[in-house]
Amino acid sequence: MNINRHYLDLQDSYLFATVAEKIAAYEAQNPDQRVIRLGIGDVTRPLCRAAVEAMEQAVREQGTAAGFHGYGPYQGYDFLQDALRQHYAAFGVTLERDEIFVSDGAKSDVGNILDIFAADNRVLVPDPVYPVYVDTNIMAGRRVFYADATAENGFLPLPDEKTDADIVYLCSPNNPTGAVYDRAGLKAWVDYARARDAVILFDAAYECFVTRPELPHSIYEVEGARECAIEIGSFSKTAGFTGTRCGYTVVPLELKRGGVRLRDLWLRRQSTKFNGVSYVVQRGAAAVLSGEGQRQIRADHAYYMENAAIMADALREMGVWFVGGEQSPYVWFRCPEGDSWAFFDRLLTRAQVAGTPGAGFGRNGEGYFRLTAFGTHEDTQEAMRRFIKAL
Ligand code: PLP
C-alpha cells in the first residue's frame, strides 16, 4: 500500500489550524484573559429572518408525506438555480440552469473542481491568497507557481505573457488583501486565458461586499469569460452560512477544453461523488436571494463594514499603512514591527487580540497582517483599543 506522498509536500499545518493552536495554548496558560478573535474569517451575525423562516417551513414539509424530499437533483433544486440566475441577472449576466451547480460551500468546490483537470497542468496562484488553492494542488502533485501581489501593483497582479499557466486562480474581492479587480483587470486575465486555452477559477466568495458600481461582482461581466472561466460562490460570508453550508459553482456551457464541455465533466464528477445539499438548506439559500432576504443581509453587511471602518480609523490613528476594508471585510496592514508571526505573538500576548499573519497566505504576505470585520462592534472596538494601547 502506498499513501499519497504529495501530502508530505504540504507545509506543516493549515494556517488557521496553527492560529487556533496558538490561541488555545495562550488561553490554557492565561485562563483569566479573554482573547478577541479577529483572525479566521468566520461571521458573527445570525442568519437572516427570511432564511430562518424558509428553513423552518422546509423542515415542516420534510415531516409530511406530501412535502417530503429525498435525494435532490445533482445540480440543486430549480428554485435555487432560478434565484441564482436572477441574482446574476442584476449584474447583467445571463446563466442557464444547466450551468449552475449548488454545493455545500466554496471550499469544497475549490478543492473538488481539480478532479476534472489533469495532474500535469501548471497552476498559477496569486501570492498572497486563500491557502486552499495551493494546498489542494500540492495534494494532487501539481506544480504551482505564483503571481506576485504586492503593494506596488495594489495586490492585483496582471498576467505576465512569459508565464505559461493552464489553470489560473483569481479571488476578488481578495482574501486576504481586500483588493478588488476592475473590469479592465479581469479582461486582461480573460484575454490571457483565452490566448493559451487556460482556465480561470474565479472565487467570488466575497462578491456581496462590492458596492461601487464600476466594480464587477462576477467574472462573467467581462466579455469572453464564458469561454474560459469557472466561477465559485458562497452563502457563507454573504448570509452567515458558514455553519449552515451552501455555495455554488458556475461552469458555462461554452467552456470546452480538448473538445469536451467542462460542465459535463463536472456533472459527472458531482453525480458520482456528491449527493447534493439538503432541501432545507437550499430553501434557506433561496430565501437569502429574495427581495426581503437581500434587504436583511444588506443590514448585516453594513454592520460588518462599520467594523472595518473602526479598524481603519484605529490604524490611521496609529499611522499604520493598510489597504482593504472598503469593498471587502478584510483589512490588510503592514506590521508595525517584526515579521508577521512575531507580530501575531506580540498582539496575542500583549493585547489578547488574534489576527492572521500575512506570511500564512504566501511569501508576499510576510510583513503584513489580516484582521476581519466579521466580529461584533463591541469586540472590534475593544480589540482596537487594546491594539493602540499595546503598541
Ligand atoms: N473562498 C475564499 C476566498 C474564502 O475566504 C473562503 C472562506 O473563508 C472560502 C472560499 C470558503 O467558503 P465556504 O464557507 O463557502 O466553504
Side-chain angles (χ1 to χ4, degrees):
M1 205 290 296
N2 292 318
I3 58 163
N4 178 352
R5 298 196 71 79
H6 298 306
Y7 275 64
L8 308 182
D9 299 332
L10 292 166
Q11 283 199 343
D12 273 358
S13 155
Y14 181 62
L15 167 65
F16 297 109
T18 311
V19 166
E21 274 164 29
K22 278 181 172 269
I23 299 172
Y26 179 80
E27 284 181 327
Q29 280 165 13
N30 302 276
D32 51 327
Q33 306 271 29
R34 187 176 79 88
V35 175
I36 299 178
R37 290 167 167 75
L38 299 180
I40 186 163
D42 203 355
V43 292
T44 52
R45 305 289 297 158
L47 296 176
C48 67
R49 280 186 59 77
V52 171
E53 283 167 9
M55 287 194 280
E56 282 172 349
Q57 165 67 23
V59 168
R60 277 194 292 274
E61 279 179 57
Q62 287 293 68
T64 65
F68 175 75
H69 292 75
Y71 290 124
Y74 289 122
Q75 290 192 224
Y77 285 99
D78 289 356
F79 62 78
L80 180 51
Q81 290 179 319
D82 287 344
L84 282 163
R85 290 171 71 205
Q86 266 191 13
H87 182 68
Y88 273 87
F91 320 140
V93 173
T94 305
L95 297 179
E96 304 296 326
R97 277 187 192 153
D98 280 352
E99 301 173 322
I100 301 173
F101 293 77
V102 174
S103 74
D104 64 346
K107 192 185 205 175
S108 321
D109 284 356
V110 161
N112 295 336
I113 195 80
L114 294 172
D115 274 14
I116 68 170
F117 298 110
D120 60 359
N121 281 314
R122 291 152 304 180
V123 181
L124 184 62
V125 177
D127 172 1
V129 88
Y130 183 51
V132 173
Y133 308 156
V134 174
D135 287 357
T136 48
N137 278 291
I138 302 278
M139 285 171 175
R142 275 191 204 85
R143 262 192 53 210
V144 176
F145 46 104
Y146 297 93
D148 287 328
T150 61
E152 287 67 45
N153 60 24
F155 296 101
L156 294 168
L158 290 173
D160 172 355
E161 293 305 325
K162 295 192 290 295
T163 306
D164 215 5
D166 303 305
I167 298 173
V168 176
Y169 284 82
L170 296 178
C171 177
S172 177
N174 187 268
N175 175 11
T177 66
V180 188
Y181 276 106
D182 61 12
R183 286 190 178 75
L186 290 186
K187 180 79 171 82
W189 280 111
V190 164
D191 291 346
Y192 168 91
R194 290 180 74 194
R196 44 181 49 70
D197 265 358
V199 171
I200 296 173
L201 300 179
F202 185 77
D203 188 336
Y206 298 94
E207 162 270 307
C208 68
F209 292 97
V210 173
T211 52
R212 290 207 333 243
E214 72 277 17
L215 295 174
H217 291 251
S218 162
I219 196 163
Y220 303 123
E221 291 176 56
V222 170
E223 196 206 326
R226 288 181 56 86
E227 281 102 60
C228 67
I230 290 174
E231 182 160 304
I232 297 171
S234 171
F235 290 89
S236 283
K237 310 301 157 79
T238 308
F241 270 50
T242 50
T244 303
R245 309 304 305 148
C246 196
Y248 53 90
T249 285
V250 177
V251 191
L253 294 171
E254 291 94 318
L255 177 49
K256 291 185 185 166
R257 290 295 178 266
V260 179
R261 284 205 311 204
L262 297 191
R263 178 261 167 203
D264 296 344
L265 294 187
W266 184 235
L267 175 60
R268 192 71 178 84
R269 190 272 170 207
Q270 289 296 78
S271 55
T272 304
K273 295 194 185 180
F274 182 62
N275 247 343
V277 179
S278 82
Y279 171 71
V280 173
V281 167
Q282 292 195 55
R283 278 289 181 202
V288 163
L289 297 171
S290 68
E292 197 46 47
Q294 289 291 294
R295 269 188 292 284
Q296 292 167 4
I297 61 166
R298 288 216 183 99
D300 294 329
H301 303 163
Y303 179 95
Y304 293 136
M305 294 320 287
E306 279 175 40
N307 287 341
I310 292 168
M311 297 191 291
D313 285 346
L315 292 170
R316 263 185 226 108
E317 190 183 323
M318 290 184 281
V320 173
W321 187 94
F322 72 95
V323 288
E326 199 230 315
Q327 301 287 297
S328 132
Y330 294 120
V331 174
W332 179 249
F333 66 85
R334 217 172 251 148
C335 297
E337 51 179 82
D339 69 31
S340 61
W341 277 107
F343 185 75
F344 172 90
D345 290 335
R346 193 149 175 243
L347 200 60
L348 178 63
T349 55
R350 292 219 191 144
Q352 293 75 50
V353 173
T356 313
F361 297 101
R363 197 171 51 89
N364 290 323
E366 185 51 275
Y368 291 91
F369 207 78
R370 191 195 77 175
L371 292 179
T372 88
F374 289 128
T376 62
H377 282 341
E378 298 71 27
D379 273 357
T380 307
Q381 267 154 352
E382 173 62 14
M384 297 322 282
R385 256 195 302 273
R386 293 184 191 177
F387 190 154
I388 290 171
K389 202 163 150 225
L391 289 132

